[in-house]
Amino acid sequence: MAARKPRGLSRTGVVLAALIALTAAAGCGSDSDEPAKASSPPGERPSKTDSPSRPKPKPSVSAADGRDITACADGNCEIAVSEPVKIPFKGPRGQATLSVTEVGPNAVAYTVKSGNGQSKGSASGPGQGCITVLRSNGSGNSCGGLGGAGRPSPQPDAVVIQAATGEDGTAVLQLVSDR
């Protein structure tokens, strides 16, 4: 009886492995409460005097509403942010809050709270971002490459939130509702 050669991965297996690797590299958010933090070697503590203070970057991209978070109160705006900020807005079930928790070069992370519900998203890398659709009965996230997605389309009885990373540490946030 002749020995059989082991078979390699099928094309489907290769494509599946590539998709899994791309999804992991996209930096999609997780539902953990604590963001990953770099740690210092044992016995060494980071000191506030170790790094010089840097001025906060100002958004260099243009957004229809500039940096005015009050423009988002009705659930419709386009703003640029370069530091963590809380943005109150009218959601499908009343008051909601978009909290940008991290903004940096090609990175953005946020939490959306509405009623007793919460949704988190984060993305890192050039051209990456997240879209959250907030509805009266829940929410859903999608993170990954946005390409030239432009302004998200309004959805019935929902607020669509898009957060896009920027090279210079500025993220562009768009909130779109059917109101």
Side-chain angles (χ1 to χ4, degrees), residues 2-165:
R4 284 190 180 187
K5 285 176 85 176
R7 295 184 65 179
L9 287 175
S10 68
R11 282 188 180 168
T12 304
V14 171
V15 170
L16 182 58
L19 285 174
I20 290 170
L22 285 174
T23 302
C28 225
S30 88
D31 287 338
S32 71
D33 289 337
E34 290 297 319
K37 294 183 182 177
S39 61
S40 299
E44 207 178 289
R45 286 192 170 176
S47 168
K48 291 185 180 188
T49 59
D50 286 348
S51 62
S53 64
R54 292 180 278 168
K56 302 243 187 241
K58 296 219 188 284
S60 65
V61 295
S62 62
D65 297 307
R67 294 184 294 154
D68 182 12
I69 63 171
T70 63
C72 299
D74 64 353
N76 286 292
C77 66
E78 178 183 70
I79 62 172
V81 298
S82 56
E83 59 188 25
V85 64
K86 288 189 179 195
I87 304 165
F89 66 96
K90 184 177 178 188
R93 295 185 70 191
Q95 189 64 28
T97 303
L98 167 62
S99 298
V100 177
T101 56
E102 178 189 343
V103 181
N106 293 314
V108 65
Y110 64 90
T111 301
V112 181
K113 291 183 181 178
S114 177
N116 292 332
Q118 172 175 296
S119 183
K120 293 183 179 188
S122 67
S124 61
Q128 300 294 304
C130 293
I131 295 176
T132 298
V133 179
L134 182 63
R135 300 186 184 282
S136 60
N137 61 348
S139 63
N141 282 348
S142 176
C143 297
L146 293 176
R151 186 169 178 86
S153 299
Q155 302 292 318
D157 301 318
V159 176
V160 181
I161 301 164
Q162 178 175 292
T165 63

